[in-house]
Amino acid sequence: MAQFINRREDVVTEAIDGVLALSGGALTRLDGYPHIRVVLRSDWDKSKVAIVSGGGSGHEPAHVGFVGKGMLTAAVCGDVFASPSVDAVLAGILAVTGPAGCLLVVKNYTGDRLNFGLAAERARAFGLNVSMVIVGDDIALPDLPQARGVAGTLFVHKIAGALAERGADLDAVTAAAKHVIAGTRSIGMSLDTCSVPGSPKEDRIPLGKAELGLGIHGEAGVEQIDFAGARASVATMVERLAAVMGEGQHVALVNNLGGTSVLEMSVLARDLLQSAIGERISHAIGPSPLMTSLDMQGFSISVFPADTAELELLKTPVAIPAWPGVSRVRPITVAPMPDGLTPITPMPSNHAATRAFLINCCNVLIAAEQDLNALDAKSGDGDTGSTLAGAARALISAIDRLPLSDHTQLLRAIGQELSQTMGGSSGVLLAIFFAAAGDGASSGLPMREALRAGLARMQEIGGAKIGDRTMVDALSPALVALDESLSAAASAARKGANFTATLTRAKAGRAAYINAKQLEGHIDPGAEAVARLFEHLAR
Protein backbone atom coordinates (compact mmCIF):
# COMPACT_ATOMS: atom_id res chain seq x y z
CA MET A 1 0.00 0.00 0.00
CA ALA A 2 1.43 3.37 -1.04
CA GLN A 3 1.95 5.89 1.76
CA PHE A 4 3.03 9.51 1.89
CA ILE A 5 6.49 8.85 3.30
CA ASN A 6 9.98 9.24 1.90
CA ARG A 7 12.09 6.51 3.48
CA ARG A 8 10.93 4.10 6.14
CA GLU A 9 14.10 4.84 8.12
CA ASP A 10 13.33 8.56 8.24
CA VAL A 11 9.59 8.59 8.84
CA VAL A 12 9.71 9.18 12.61
CA THR A 13 12.35 11.92 12.60
CA GLU A 14 10.72 13.72 9.67
CA ALA A 15 7.32 13.53 11.36
CA ILE A 16 8.72 14.93 14.60
CA ASP A 17 10.39 17.80 12.74
CA GLY A 18 7.09 18.56 11.03
CA VAL A 19 5.38 18.90 14.41
CA LEU A 20 8.21 21.01 15.82
CA ALA A 21 8.25 23.40 12.86
CA LEU A 22 4.55 24.10 13.32
CA SER A 23 4.51 24.29 17.13
CA GLY A 24 5.06 28.03 17.22
CA GLY A 25 8.23 27.51 19.19
CA ALA A 26 6.49 25.65 22.01
CA LEU A 27 8.41 22.42 21.43
CA THR A 28 12.13 21.57 21.28
CA ARG A 29 13.99 18.36 20.58
CA LEU A 30 17.26 17.02 21.89
CA ASP A 31 20.19 16.86 19.50
CA GLY A 32 20.25 13.08 19.36
CA TYR A 33 18.89 12.09 15.94
CA PRO A 34 18.51 9.48 14.67
CA HIS A 35 18.80 7.21 17.71
CA ILE A 36 17.57 9.54 20.44
CA ARG A 37 14.29 11.26 19.66
CA VAL A 38 13.10 13.31 22.61
CA VAL A 39 10.66 16.23 22.35
CA LEU A 40 10.28 18.60 25.32
CA ARG A 41 8.66 21.86 26.32
CA SER A 42 10.66 24.88 25.19
CA ASP A 43 9.62 26.82 28.31
CA TRP A 44 10.56 24.12 30.83
CA ASP A 45 12.62 25.38 33.80
CA LYS A 46 12.76 22.20 35.97
CA SER A 47 10.98 23.93 38.85
CA LYS A 48 8.09 21.44 38.99
CA VAL A 49 7.57 17.69 38.70
CA ALA A 50 8.31 16.56 35.14
CA ILE A 51 5.89 14.18 33.40
CA VAL A 52 7.62 11.97 30.82
CA SER A 53 5.95 9.39 28.61
CA GLY A 54 6.46 7.86 25.19
CA GLY A 55 6.90 4.56 23.43
CA GLY A 56 6.77 3.40 19.87
CA SER A 57 5.71 5.87 17.18
CA GLY A 58 2.62 5.32 15.05
CA HIS A 59 0.18 6.37 17.78
CA GLU A 60 0.10 10.04 16.84
CA PRO A 61 -0.82 12.51 18.23
CA ALA A 62 0.44 10.47 21.20
CA HIS A 63 2.94 11.16 22.51
CA VAL A 64 4.61 14.22 21.03
CA GLY A 65 1.23 15.84 20.42
CA PHE A 66 0.56 16.01 24.16
CA VAL A 67 3.78 17.72 25.19
CA GLY A 68 2.96 21.12 26.61
CA LYS A 69 2.08 23.09 29.72
CA GLY A 70 -0.40 21.06 31.78
CA MET A 71 0.32 17.67 30.21
CA LEU A 72 3.62 16.04 29.26
CA THR A 73 6.95 17.67 29.86
CA ALA A 74 8.71 15.39 27.40
CA ALA A 75 7.96 12.52 25.02
CA VAL A 76 10.47 9.83 24.08
CA CYS A 77 9.83 8.33 20.63
CA GLY A 78 10.86 4.92 19.35
CA ASP A 79 10.55 3.53 15.85
CA VAL A 80 7.06 2.65 14.63
CA PHE A 81 5.54 0.29 17.21
CA ALA A 82 8.95 -0.20 18.88
CA SER A 83 9.98 1.00 22.34
CA PRO A 84 12.65 3.69 22.54
CA SER A 85 16.05 2.61 23.86
CA VAL A 86 17.23 2.94 27.45
CA ASP A 87 19.60 5.72 26.41
CA ALA A 88 16.79 7.63 24.71
CA VAL A 89 14.56 7.42 27.79
CA LEU A 90 17.46 8.36 30.06
CA ALA A 91 18.23 11.37 27.86
CA GLY A 92 14.64 12.52 28.25
CA ILE A 93 14.73 12.12 32.03
CA LEU A 94 18.03 13.96 32.39
CA ALA A 95 16.85 16.78 30.14
CA VAL A 96 13.78 17.69 32.18
CA THR A 97 14.24 16.47 35.76
CA GLY A 98 15.05 18.96 38.49
CA PRO A 99 14.82 18.92 42.28
CA ALA A 100 11.05 18.26 42.17
CA GLY A 101 11.61 14.92 40.42
CA CYS A 102 10.07 13.11 37.46
CA LEU A 103 7.14 10.76 36.86
CA LEU A 104 7.39 8.23 34.03
CA VAL A 105 4.01 7.18 32.56
CA VAL A 106 4.52 3.87 30.79
CA LYS A 107 2.06 1.75 28.80
CA ASN A 108 2.11 -1.91 29.81
CA TYR A 109 4.16 -3.47 27.02
CA THR A 110 7.28 -5.48 27.75
CA GLY A 111 9.66 -3.27 25.75
CA ASP A 112 8.38 -0.08 27.34
CA ARG A 113 8.47 -1.51 30.87
CA LEU A 114 12.04 -2.73 30.47
CA ASN A 115 13.51 0.31 28.74
CA PHE A 116 11.75 2.93 30.86
CA GLY A 117 12.36 0.89 34.00
CA LEU A 118 16.11 0.50 33.44
CA ALA A 119 16.41 4.17 32.46
CA ALA A 120 14.67 5.10 35.73
CA GLU A 121 17.20 3.00 37.67
CA ARG A 122 20.12 4.67 35.92
CA ALA A 123 18.60 8.13 36.54
CA ARG A 124 18.26 7.34 40.25
CA ALA A 125 21.93 6.39 40.25
CA PHE A 126 22.57 9.98 39.13
CA GLY A 127 20.72 11.12 42.25
CA LEU A 128 17.47 12.05 40.54
CA ASN A 129 14.08 11.42 42.14
CA VAL A 130 12.19 9.33 39.58
CA SER A 131 8.98 7.34 39.99
CA MET A 132 7.19 5.24 37.41
CA VAL A 133 3.60 4.11 36.88
CA ILE A 134 2.43 1.48 34.42
CA VAL A 135 -0.93 1.84 32.67
CA GLY A 136 -2.85 -1.38 31.97
CA ASP A 137 -6.38 -0.30 31.03
CA ASP A 138 -7.27 -2.77 28.25
CA ILE A 139 -9.97 -5.22 29.36
CA ALA A 140 -10.25 -7.11 26.05
CA LEU A 141 -8.06 -10.05 27.09
CA PRO A 142 -9.00 -10.84 30.71
CA ASP A 143 -6.75 -13.92 30.83
CA LEU A 144 -3.57 -11.92 30.29
CA PRO A 145 -1.48 -11.70 33.47
CA GLN A 146 -0.99 -8.00 32.75
CA ALA A 147 -3.41 -5.88 30.74
CA ARG A 148 -2.10 -3.81 27.85
CA GLY A 149 -1.86 -0.05 28.11
CA VAL A 150 -3.96 1.77 25.53
CA ALA A 151 -5.92 5.02 25.16
CA GLY A 152 -6.83 5.29 28.86
CA THR A 153 -3.23 6.48 29.29
CA LEU A 154 -4.49 9.93 28.22
CA PHE A 155 -6.44 10.25 31.49
CA VAL A 156 -3.15 9.80 33.34
CA HIS A 157 -1.29 12.31 31.17
CA LYS A 158 -3.92 14.98 31.72
CA ILE A 159 -4.53 14.56 35.44
CA ALA A 160 -0.88 14.06 36.40
CA GLY A 161 0.16 16.92 34.13
CA ALA A 162 -2.41 19.30 35.58
CA LEU A 163 -1.40 18.42 39.16
CA ALA A 164 2.28 18.88 38.39
CA GLU A 165 1.59 22.23 36.77
CA ARG A 166 -0.16 23.34 39.98
CA GLY A 167 2.98 22.55 41.96
CA ALA A 168 2.06 19.21 43.57
CA ASP A 169 5.02 17.14 44.75
CA LEU A 170 6.13 13.87 43.17
CA ASP A 171 4.44 11.65 45.76
CA ALA A 172 1.09 13.38 45.24
CA VAL A 173 1.36 13.27 41.45
CA THR A 174 2.36 9.60 41.51
CA ALA A 175 -0.49 8.68 43.87
CA ALA A 176 -2.99 10.49 41.66
CA ALA A 177 -1.68 8.71 38.58
CA LYS A 178 -2.01 5.33 40.27
CA HIS A 179 -5.57 6.14 41.31
CA VAL A 180 -6.50 7.01 37.73
CA ILE A 181 -4.90 3.81 36.43
CA ALA A 182 -6.83 1.71 38.96
CA GLY A 183 -10.17 3.08 37.75
CA THR A 184 -9.64 3.28 33.97
CA ARG A 185 -11.02 0.64 31.61
CA SER A 186 -10.69 0.52 27.81
CA ILE A 187 -11.66 -1.67 24.87
CA GLY A 188 -11.27 -1.29 21.11
CA MET A 189 -12.67 -2.65 17.85
CA SER A 190 -11.57 -2.45 14.24
CA LEU A 191 -12.75 -3.42 10.77
CA ASP A 192 -9.23 -3.67 9.40
CA THR A 193 -5.59 -3.88 10.43
CA CYS A 194 -3.12 -1.01 10.03
CA SER A 195 -0.47 -0.37 7.38
CA VAL A 196 3.02 -0.29 8.88
CA PRO A 197 5.37 1.87 6.75
CA GLY A 198 7.54 -0.25 4.49
CA SER A 199 5.80 -3.53 5.36
CA PRO A 200 3.06 -5.52 3.59
CA LYS A 201 -0.34 -5.10 5.15
CA GLU A 202 -1.75 -8.03 7.10
CA ASP A 203 -5.21 -8.93 5.86
CA ARG A 204 -6.34 -10.69 9.00
CA ILE A 205 -9.90 -9.39 9.32
CA PRO A 206 -12.25 -10.71 6.60
CA LEU A 207 -14.87 -8.53 4.94
CA GLY A 208 -18.02 -8.48 7.05
CA LYS A 209 -16.15 -9.12 10.30
CA ALA A 210 -14.91 -6.84 13.06
CA GLU A 211 -12.15 -7.65 15.52
CA LEU A 212 -12.84 -6.94 19.16
CA GLY A 213 -10.06 -5.98 21.52
CA LEU A 214 -7.13 -5.73 19.14
CA GLY A 215 -4.09 -3.83 20.41
CA ILE A 216 -2.73 -0.46 19.33
CA HIS A 217 0.13 -2.20 17.50
CA GLY A 218 -2.29 -4.26 15.43
CA GLU A 219 -2.08 -7.29 17.74
CA ALA A 220 -4.92 -9.75 17.37
CA GLY A 221 -7.91 -9.19 19.61
CA VAL A 222 -10.02 -11.51 21.66
CA GLU A 223 -12.34 -12.55 18.82
CA GLN A 224 -13.69 -11.71 15.39
CA ILE A 225 -17.42 -11.08 15.27
CA ASP A 226 -19.97 -10.46 12.55
CA PHE A 227 -20.09 -6.74 11.81
CA ALA A 228 -23.65 -5.44 12.17
CA GLY A 229 -23.19 -1.68 12.14
CA ALA A 230 -22.16 1.03 14.58
CA ARG A 231 -24.88 0.51 17.19
CA ALA A 232 -24.25 -3.24 17.50
CA SER A 233 -20.49 -2.68 17.68
CA VAL A 234 -20.84 -0.19 20.51
CA ALA A 235 -23.28 -2.50 22.31
CA THR A 236 -20.77 -5.36 22.18
CA MET A 237 -18.04 -3.19 23.69
CA VAL A 238 -20.35 -1.64 26.25
CA GLU A 239 -21.40 -5.09 27.49
CA ARG A 240 -17.79 -5.82 28.42
CA LEU A 241 -17.17 -2.37 29.88
CA ALA A 242 -20.30 -2.50 32.01
CA ALA A 243 -19.08 -5.67 33.71
CA VAL A 244 -15.92 -3.97 35.03
CA MET A 245 -16.91 -0.32 35.46
CA GLY A 246 -17.05 1.22 38.88
CA GLU A 247 -20.09 2.88 40.37
CA GLY A 248 -21.26 6.42 39.70
CA GLN A 249 -20.73 8.79 36.81
CA HIS A 250 -17.86 8.35 34.36
CA VAL A 251 -15.89 10.32 31.82
CA ALA A 252 -15.71 8.53 28.47
CA LEU A 253 -12.81 8.95 26.07
CA VAL A 254 -13.86 8.11 22.50
CA ASN A 255 -10.70 7.45 20.51
CA ASN A 256 -10.26 7.20 16.75
CA LEU A 257 -7.65 4.53 16.02
CA GLY A 258 -6.56 6.48 12.97
CA GLY A 259 -8.54 5.48 9.89
CA THR A 260 -12.16 6.03 10.92
CA SER A 261 -13.88 9.03 9.37
CA VAL A 262 -15.07 11.95 11.48
CA LEU A 263 -18.62 11.18 10.35
CA GLU A 264 -18.39 7.60 11.65
CA MET A 265 -16.85 8.72 14.93
CA SER A 266 -19.77 11.07 15.58
CA VAL A 267 -22.22 8.22 14.97
CA LEU A 268 -20.27 6.01 17.39
CA ALA A 269 -20.29 8.74 20.04
CA ARG A 270 -24.03 9.12 19.66
CA ASP A 271 -24.55 5.35 19.95
CA LEU A 272 -22.37 5.22 23.06
CA LEU A 273 -24.45 7.90 24.77
CA GLN A 274 -27.62 5.98 23.88
CA SER A 275 -26.18 2.64 25.01
CA ALA A 276 -26.73 0.68 28.21
CA ILE A 277 -24.08 2.77 30.00
CA GLY A 278 -25.08 6.08 28.42
CA GLU A 279 -26.76 7.40 31.57
CA ARG A 280 -23.55 6.76 33.51
CA ILE A 281 -21.48 9.00 31.23
CA SER A 282 -21.55 12.59 32.43
CA HIS A 283 -18.63 13.93 30.39
CA ALA A 284 -16.77 12.92 27.25
CA ILE A 285 -13.39 13.51 25.62
CA GLY A 286 -13.52 13.34 21.83
CA PRO A 287 -14.38 11.71 19.58
CA SER A 288 -10.84 12.41 18.38
CA PRO A 289 -7.66 10.65 17.28
CA LEU A 290 -5.73 10.51 20.54
CA MET A 291 -3.94 7.15 20.79
CA THR A 292 -4.00 5.84 17.22
CA SER A 293 -2.64 2.80 15.45
CA LEU A 294 -1.47 4.42 12.21
CA ASP A 295 -4.42 4.11 9.78
CA MET A 296 -6.44 1.44 11.59
CA GLN A 297 -10.14 1.63 10.76
CA GLY A 298 -11.33 1.29 14.30
CA PHE A 299 -12.07 3.04 17.57
CA SER A 300 -11.78 2.53 21.28
CA ILE A 301 -13.77 3.55 24.34
CA SER A 302 -12.14 4.32 27.68
CA VAL A 303 -14.07 5.09 30.86
CA PHE A 304 -12.92 6.57 34.15
CA PRO A 305 -15.03 7.37 37.27
CA ALA A 306 -13.54 10.81 37.90
CA ASP A 307 -14.38 12.46 41.21
CA THR A 308 -14.96 16.21 41.47
CA ALA A 309 -11.26 17.06 41.86
CA GLU A 310 -10.18 14.75 39.03
CA LEU A 311 -12.87 16.12 36.74
CA GLU A 312 -11.62 19.63 37.43
CA LEU A 313 -8.08 18.56 36.50
CA LEU A 314 -9.34 16.95 33.29
CA LYS A 315 -11.25 20.12 32.41
CA THR A 316 -8.32 22.47 33.09
CA PRO A 317 -7.63 24.14 29.70
CA VAL A 318 -4.34 23.46 27.95
CA ALA A 319 -2.90 25.13 24.85
CA ILE A 320 -2.27 21.78 23.17
CA PRO A 321 -3.99 21.44 19.77
CA ALA A 322 -4.30 17.65 19.92
CA TRP A 323 -6.19 17.70 23.23
CA PRO A 324 -9.93 18.09 22.45
CA GLY A 325 -11.00 19.08 25.96
CA VAL A 326 -13.82 17.68 28.05
CA SER A 327 -17.48 18.15 27.13
CA ARG A 328 -20.41 17.78 29.48
CA VAL A 329 -23.07 15.46 28.08
CA ARG A 330 -26.33 17.35 27.70
CA PRO A 331 -29.70 16.51 26.16
CA ILE A 332 -30.07 17.37 22.49
CA THR A 333 -32.03 20.58 22.00
CA VAL A 334 -34.32 20.99 19.00
CA ALA A 335 -35.47 24.39 17.73
CA PRO A 336 -38.72 24.81 15.80
CA MET A 337 -38.61 25.27 12.02
CA PRO A 338 -38.68 28.91 10.87
CA ASP A 339 -42.00 30.31 9.71
CA GLY A 340 -42.65 29.52 6.09
CA LEU A 341 -40.65 26.28 6.02
CA THR A 342 -43.08 24.07 7.88
CA PRO A 343 -44.51 21.92 5.07
CA ILE A 344 -48.18 22.09 4.20
CA THR A 345 -49.56 18.65 4.82
CA PRO A 346 -51.78 17.39 2.00
CA MET A 347 -55.08 15.70 2.76
CA PRO A 348 -54.31 11.97 2.64
CA SER A 349 -56.51 9.67 0.58
CA ASN A 350 -56.32 6.09 -0.62
CA HIS A 351 -56.34 4.61 -4.09
CA ALA A 352 -55.26 0.99 -4.28
CA ALA A 353 -53.93 1.03 -7.85
CA THR A 354 -51.94 4.23 -7.33
CA ARG A 355 -50.57 2.94 -4.05
CA ALA A 356 -49.38 -0.30 -5.68
CA PHE A 357 -47.89 1.62 -8.62
CA LEU A 358 -45.89 3.97 -6.39
CA ILE A 359 -44.59 1.21 -4.14
CA ASN A 360 -43.65 -0.82 -7.22
CA CYS A 361 -41.61 2.10 -8.62
CA CYS A 362 -39.90 2.66 -5.30
CA ASN A 363 -38.96 -1.00 -5.00
CA VAL A 364 -37.30 -0.88 -8.43
CA LEU A 365 -35.02 1.93 -7.23
CA ILE A 366 -34.30 0.18 -3.93
CA ALA A 367 -33.34 -3.03 -5.75
CA ALA A 368 -31.02 -1.09 -8.06
CA GLU A 369 -29.16 0.65 -5.21
CA GLN A 370 -25.85 -1.23 -5.38
CA ASP A 371 -25.73 -1.33 -9.17
CA LEU A 372 -26.32 2.41 -9.44
CA ASN A 373 -23.73 3.12 -6.74
CA ALA A 374 -21.20 1.05 -8.68
CA LEU A 375 -21.96 3.02 -11.85
CA ASP A 376 -21.70 6.31 -10.01
CA ALA A 377 -18.37 5.32 -8.49
CA LYS A 378 -16.95 5.34 -12.02
CA SER A 379 -18.19 8.84 -12.79
CA GLY A 380 -18.99 10.49 -9.46
CA ASP A 381 -18.94 9.89 -5.74
CA GLY A 382 -20.67 6.50 -5.69
CA ASP A 383 -23.90 7.49 -3.95
CA THR A 384 -26.56 7.84 -6.67
CA GLY A 385 -28.08 4.46 -5.84
CA SER A 386 -28.19 5.20 -2.13
CA THR A 387 -29.67 8.65 -2.73
CA LEU A 388 -32.47 7.30 -4.93
CA ALA A 389 -33.08 4.27 -2.71
CA GLY A 390 -33.21 6.48 0.39
CA ALA A 391 -35.80 8.71 -1.26
CA ALA A 392 -37.76 5.64 -2.34
CA ARG A 393 -37.81 4.25 1.19
CA ALA A 394 -38.92 7.63 2.53
CA LEU A 395 -41.73 7.76 -0.02
CA ILE A 396 -42.93 4.30 0.99
CA SER A 397 -42.88 5.38 4.63
CA ALA A 398 -44.97 8.43 3.73
CA ILE A 399 -47.46 6.52 1.55
CA ASP A 400 -50.30 6.76 4.09
CA ARG A 401 -49.92 10.56 4.22
CA LEU A 402 -50.19 11.07 0.46
CA PRO A 403 -53.32 12.13 -1.51
CA LEU A 404 -53.31 8.97 -3.62
CA SER A 405 -56.77 9.53 -5.11
CA ASP A 406 -55.91 13.05 -6.39
CA HIS A 407 -53.09 12.75 -8.90
CA THR A 408 -52.65 16.49 -9.28
CA GLN A 409 -52.06 16.94 -5.56
CA LEU A 410 -50.09 13.69 -5.44
CA LEU A 411 -47.46 15.00 -7.87
CA ARG A 412 -47.00 18.10 -5.74
CA ALA A 413 -46.87 16.02 -2.55
CA ILE A 414 -44.18 13.77 -4.04
CA GLY A 415 -42.16 16.85 -4.97
CA GLN A 416 -42.50 18.17 -1.43
CA GLU A 417 -41.51 14.82 0.07
CA LEU A 418 -38.43 14.59 -2.14
CA SER A 419 -37.36 18.13 -1.29
CA GLN A 420 -37.31 17.10 2.38
CA THR A 421 -35.82 13.61 2.16
CA MET A 422 -33.59 13.50 -0.92
CA GLY A 423 -30.25 15.26 -0.79
CA GLY A 424 -27.93 16.51 -3.49
CA SER A 425 -28.80 18.06 -6.83
CA SER A 426 -30.96 15.05 -7.77
CA GLY A 427 -33.32 15.74 -4.88
CA VAL A 428 -33.77 19.37 -5.87
CA LEU A 429 -34.25 18.60 -9.56
CA LEU A 430 -36.76 15.80 -8.99
CA ALA A 431 -38.65 17.96 -6.50
CA ILE A 432 -38.86 20.65 -9.19
CA PHE A 433 -39.94 18.05 -11.75
CA PHE A 434 -42.85 16.72 -9.69
CA ALA A 435 -43.94 20.13 -8.40
CA ALA A 436 -44.05 21.55 -11.94
CA ALA A 437 -45.82 18.44 -13.22
CA GLY A 438 -48.42 18.95 -10.48
CA ASP A 439 -48.87 22.57 -11.56
CA GLY A 440 -49.33 21.43 -15.15
CA ALA A 441 -51.90 18.83 -14.16
CA SER A 442 -53.82 21.39 -12.09
CA SER A 443 -54.02 23.66 -15.15
CA GLY A 444 -55.73 20.88 -17.08
CA LEU A 445 -52.86 19.21 -18.89
CA PRO A 446 -53.12 15.45 -19.44
CA MET A 447 -50.68 13.44 -17.33
CA ARG A 448 -48.17 12.89 -20.16
CA GLU A 449 -48.13 16.59 -20.98
CA ALA A 450 -47.90 17.48 -17.31
CA LEU A 451 -44.84 15.25 -16.94
CA ARG A 452 -43.23 16.93 -19.96
CA ALA A 453 -43.95 20.31 -18.38
CA GLY A 454 -42.17 19.07 -15.27
CA LEU A 455 -39.19 18.00 -17.37
CA ALA A 456 -39.07 21.36 -19.15
CA ARG A 457 -39.06 23.19 -15.83
CA MET A 458 -36.35 20.90 -14.45
CA GLN A 459 -34.19 21.51 -17.54
CA GLU A 460 -34.78 25.24 -17.35
CA ILE A 461 -33.50 25.43 -13.78
CA GLY A 462 -30.91 22.66 -13.92
CA GLY A 463 -29.58 23.53 -17.37
CA ALA A 464 -29.19 19.95 -18.62
CA LYS A 465 -29.97 19.05 -22.23
CA ILE A 466 -29.88 15.82 -24.22
CA GLY A 467 -26.23 14.94 -24.74
CA ASP A 468 -25.09 16.42 -21.43
CA ARG A 469 -24.82 12.96 -19.87
CA THR A 470 -27.57 13.16 -17.24
CA MET A 471 -30.90 11.49 -16.50
CA VAL A 472 -32.41 13.82 -19.12
CA ASP A 473 -30.82 11.66 -21.83
CA ALA A 474 -33.15 8.82 -20.83
CA LEU A 475 -36.13 10.72 -19.40
CA SER A 476 -36.74 13.12 -22.28
CA PRO A 477 -37.03 10.51 -25.08
CA ALA A 478 -39.04 8.24 -22.80
CA LEU A 479 -41.66 10.93 -22.16
CA VAL A 480 -41.87 11.67 -25.91
CA ALA A 481 -42.33 7.99 -26.73
CA LEU A 482 -44.93 7.63 -23.99
CA ASP A 483 -47.55 8.85 -26.48
CA GLU A 484 -46.99 5.65 -28.42
CA SER A 485 -46.85 3.11 -25.58
CA LEU A 486 -45.15 2.27 -22.30
CA SER A 487 -43.05 -0.29 -24.16
CA ALA A 488 -41.86 2.35 -26.60
CA ALA A 489 -41.03 4.64 -23.72
CA ALA A 490 -38.96 1.90 -22.08
CA SER A 491 -37.09 1.27 -25.34
CA ALA A 492 -36.41 4.99 -25.77
CA ALA A 493 -35.19 5.31 -22.18
CA ARG A 494 -32.80 2.37 -22.60
CA LYS A 495 -31.45 3.76 -25.86
CA GLY A 496 -30.93 7.14 -24.21
CA ALA A 497 -29.20 5.61 -21.19
CA ASN A 498 -26.87 3.53 -23.37
CA PHE A 499 -26.11 6.66 -25.38
CA THR A 500 -24.57 8.27 -22.28
CA ALA A 501 -21.86 5.56 -22.26
CA THR A 502 -20.61 6.96 -25.59
CA LEU A 503 -20.28 10.48 -24.19
CA THR A 504 -16.83 11.24 -22.87
CA ARG A 505 -17.67 14.71 -21.66
CA ALA A 506 -20.43 15.56 -19.20
CA LYS A 507 -21.76 19.08 -19.32
CA ALA A 508 -23.95 18.98 -16.21
CA GLY A 509 -24.05 17.23 -12.86
CA ARG A 510 -21.15 15.96 -10.77
CA ALA A 511 -19.71 14.02 -13.71
CA ALA A 512 -18.90 17.37 -15.34
CA TYR A 513 -15.97 17.60 -12.91
CA ILE A 514 -14.59 14.17 -13.85
CA ASN A 515 -11.79 13.42 -16.28
CA ALA A 516 -13.17 12.24 -19.64
CA LYS A 517 -11.22 8.96 -19.49
CA GLN A 518 -13.10 7.95 -16.35
CA LEU A 519 -16.47 8.40 -18.09
CA GLU A 520 -15.74 6.48 -21.26
CA GLY A 521 -17.90 3.36 -21.61
CA HIS A 522 -19.94 3.94 -18.45
CA ILE A 523 -23.66 4.69 -18.43
CA ASP A 524 -24.76 7.70 -16.40
CA PRO A 525 -26.33 6.32 -13.20
CA GLY A 526 -29.29 8.74 -13.31
CA ALA A 527 -30.09 7.74 -16.85
CA GLU A 528 -29.73 4.08 -15.91
CA ALA A 529 -32.21 4.53 -13.05
CA VAL A 530 -34.77 6.06 -15.45
CA ALA A 531 -34.26 3.24 -17.96
CA ARG A 532 -34.69 0.52 -15.33
CA LEU A 533 -37.83 2.17 -14.03
CA PHE A 534 -39.50 2.33 -17.44
CA GLU A 535 -38.36 -1.18 -18.37
CA HIS A 536 -39.90 -2.57 -15.21
CA LEU A 537 -43.17 -0.75 -15.78
CA ALA A 538 -43.35 -1.99 -19.38
CA ARG A 539 -43.20 -5.65 -18.36
Side-chain angles (χ1 to χ4, degrees):
M1 177 180 176
Q3 294 173 299
F4 288 109
I5 66 172
N6 297 308
R7 293 197 319 148
R8 175 180 181 175
E9 296 81 3
D10 300 330
V11 64
V12 175
T13 56
E14 291 180 355
I16 291 172
D17 282 350
V19 174
L20 292 174
L22 298 175
S23 70
L27 302 179
T28 300
R29 70 170 173 86
L30 296 183
D31 184 16
Y33 278 0
H35 304 298
I36 292 176
R37 292 164 291 203
V38 176
V39 175
L40 55 146
R41 287 173 53 178
S42 300
D43 63 349
W44 186 244
D45 62 6
K46 298 187 179 182
S47 62
K48 299 173 182 176
V49 172
I51 310 295
V52 177
S53 191
S57 297
H59 306 302
E60 289 72 20
H63 299 83
V64 169
F66 298 113
V67 175
K69 185 177 181 179
M71 288 192 76
L72 298 182
T73 313
V76 188
C77 306
D79 290 327
V80 172
F81 294 169
S83 175
S85 67
V86 174
D87 282 356
V89 178
L90 181 60
I93 297 171
L94 295 176
V96 298
T97 305
C102 172
L103 171 66
L104 302 180
V105 181
V106 182
K107 296 186 300 302
N108 193 21
Y109 288 95
T110 301
D112 289 347
R113 288 200 318 270
L114 292 175
N115 285 290
F116 277 82
L118 182 53
E121 291 297 324
R122 290 175 59 182
R124 292 182 190 115
F126 282 106
L128 298 179
N129 189 10
V130 179
S131 66
M132 185 171 87
V133 294
I134 296 175
V135 184
D137 54 313
D138 189 0
I139 65 164
L141 301 171
D143 295 332
L144 281 183
Q146 293 183 331
R148 301 175 295 198
V150 288
T153 308
L154 273 299
F155 286 124
V156 185
H157 290 171
K158 184 63 177 69
I159 289 175
L163 268 179
E165 190 61 38
R166 293 182 180 186
D169 63 25
L170 182 58
D171 287 343
V173 175
T174 303
K178 289 180 177 179
H179 184 262
V180 175
I181 291 167
T184 301
R185 303 289 183 268
S186 300
I187 191 168
M189 177 182 285
S190 185
L191 296 174
D192 200 359
T193 54
C194 56
S195 305
V196 178
S199 300
K201 183 173 180 179
E202 180 187 9
D203 294 322
R204 186 180 69 240
I205 306 175
L207 189 66
K209 293 285 188 178
E211 191 160 281
L212 179 67
L214 70 178
I216 55 173
H217 306 110
E219 310 99 313
V222 60
E223 63 178 316
Q224 291 185 357
I225 61 175
D226 292 332
F227 177 65
R231 186 180 298 110
S233 299
V234 170
T236 298
M237 297 165 72
V238 160
E239 181 181 5
R240 286 156 175 79
L241 284 171
V244 295
M245 286 172 62
E247 298 297 324
Q249 294 294 292
H250 286 65
V251 180
L253 187 150
V254 186
N255 175 51
N256 186 339
L257 283 168
T260 308
S261 70
V262 174
L263 185 69
E264 292 169 279
M265 290 304 301
S266 295
V267 172
L268 292 165
R270 174 255 191 195
D271 287 341
L272 173 62
L273 296 176
Q274 293 188 357
S275 72
I277 64 171
E279 292 184 354
R280 298 167 65 184
I281 299 173
S282 62
H283 294 77
I285 300 168
S288 296
L290 298 164
M291 182 78 70
T292 65
S293 181
L294 294 170
D295 60 347
M296 185 179 287
Q297 191 184 354
F299 71 105
S300 65
I301 301 169
S302 303
V303 291
F304 170 59
D307 61 25
T308 301
E310 289 164 331
L311 185 58
E312 182 187 355
L313 293 168
L314 285 172
K315 293 169 71 173
T316 301
V318 290
I320 297 175
W323 179 251
V326 179
S327 301
R328 183 176 182 83
V329 177
R330 299 183 185 277
I332 296 172
T333 57
V334 180
M337 289 284 285
D339 290 343
L341 286 181
T342 302
I344 300 172
T345 304
M347 183 70 69
S349 59
N350 193 29
H351 187 270
T354 302
R355 182 188 185 92
F357 175 83
L358 268 183
I359 292 175
N360 192 20
C361 290
C362 289
N363 285 333
V364 172
L365 296 177
I366 292 170
E369 180 175 2
Q370 297 304 320
D371 290 345
L372 296 179
N373 279 344
L375 270 180
D376 191 36
K378 302 178 189 302
S379 60
D381 54 359
D383 67 348
T384 293
S386 296
T387 300
L388 290 170
R393 293 185 183 99
L395 205 56
I396 290 175
S397 298
I399 198 78
D400 291 331
R401 303 195 307 269
L402 298 178
L404 299 176
S405 62
D406 184 341
H407 290 176
T408 296
Q409 295 303 316
L410 176 60
L411 290 170
R412 289 171 169 163
I414 291 174
Q416 180 176 285
E417 191 69 31
L418 293 180
S419 72
Q420 297 168 13
T421 60
M422 189 176 180
S425 57
S426 297
V428 176
L429 292 172
L430 288 176
I432 292 169
F433 171 80
F434 282 104
D439 291 343
S442 68
S443 67
L445 291 178
M447 183 58 68
R448 292 168 188 160
E449 294 297 327
L451 292 175
R452 288 178 194 144
L455 175 61
R457 183 64 173 155
M458 182 177 76
Q459 289 184 266
E460 178 185 346
I461 295 177
K465 305 181 297 295
I466 289 180
D468 285 352
R469 207 178 190 283
T470 70
M471 71 171 74
V472 170
D473 288 299
L475 184 57
S476 180
L479 292 181
V480 171
L482 198 56
D483 284 338
E484 183 180 342
S485 68
L486 193 54
S487 178
S491 178
R494 173 49 60 195
K495 184 177 179 181
N498 291 345
F499 171 63
T500 63
T502 69
L503 300 171
T504 57
R505 181 64 185 271
K507 298 178 182 178
R510 193 182 297 273
Y513 310 110
I514 302 298
N515 187 294
K517 289 185 178 180
Q518 289 184 246
L519 302 177
E520 190 173 355
H522 303 303
I523 296 175
D524 176 77
E528 177 65 21
V530 171
R532 290 197 183 195
L533 192 57
F534 273 96
E535 286 172 339
H536 185 83
L537 296 176
R539 290 173 189 165

